[in-house]
Amino acid sequence: MASEDKTTGIPDDVASMWKTLDPAIRAALIASESKEAEDDKKEASGGGAEGRRAKASDGPRMDDTASKFIGGDSFTNRTSNPQWIKVRSDVYDAVKDRRQQELDAKVPVDIEVTMPDGKTLSA
């Protein structure tokens, strides 16, 4: 088992490898580690962009007390049976009829499947 430095707890083989690294690479590694630590602190404290949004919202709301609604004022006048529902239903029925005609026009094809053991099955 590799020995380690008692003060830092770093194994000797890792410490010797660290010493052989170029100083610029060592600096980049240290900077990346400290950047990750800062990012972790931000996330934990809610200081990131997502944390800010979760704490205080200023976007559209779905409840009745909000001054801004999702969709703006485009749905202020509601009708019980809007015209677009009939149009959509008619399109659906036309597609359904066309697909049914295509299905009715198809002729079933008999197939035979030969199993690995030589047995033949008809379907």
Side-chain angles (χ1 to χ4, degrees):
M1 186 161 107
S3 63
E4 62 181 45
D5 184 351
K6 300 292 182 202
T7 58
T8 62
I10 299 173
D12 289 338
D13 55 343
V14 174
S16 64
M17 183 189 72
W18 179 258
K19 291 175 186 175
T20 62
L21 289 176
D22 182 76
I25 294 174
R26 280 194 258 166
L29 287 170
I30 291 170
S32 70
E33 286 292 321
S34 61
K35 172 82 170 110
E36 288 175 12
E38 288 176 19
D39 291 344
D40 290 345
K41 283 182 185 176
K42 265 188 179 178
E43 283 182 23
S45 68
E50 290 181 21
R52 181 190 56 79
R53 178 68 176 145
K55 286 182 181 177
S57 65
D58 60 353
R61 299 178 53 92
M62 293 178 69
D63 60 355
D64 293 339
T65 61
S67 60
K68 295 186 277 183
F69 293 106
I70 293 174
D73 57 352
S74 59
F75 297 108
T76 56
N77 187 12
R78 301 187 189 275
T79 57
S80 60
N81 290 317
Q83 181 61 30
W84 60 268
I85 291 179
K86 173 140 179 44
V87 171
R88 186 164 70 175
S89 176
D90 292 344
V91 170
Y92 174 79
D93 290 338
V95 171
K96 181 180 171 187
D97 291 340
R98 187 175 66 220
R99 295 291 182 221
Q100 188 60 46
Q101 289 172 359
E102 291 174 3
L103 184 60
D104 292 340
K106 291 185 177 184
V107 178
V109 177
D110 293 333
I111 61 169
E112 289 187 1
V113 177
T114 304
M115 304 303 287
D117 64 356
K119 184 176 176 183
T120 303
L121 300 174
S122 296

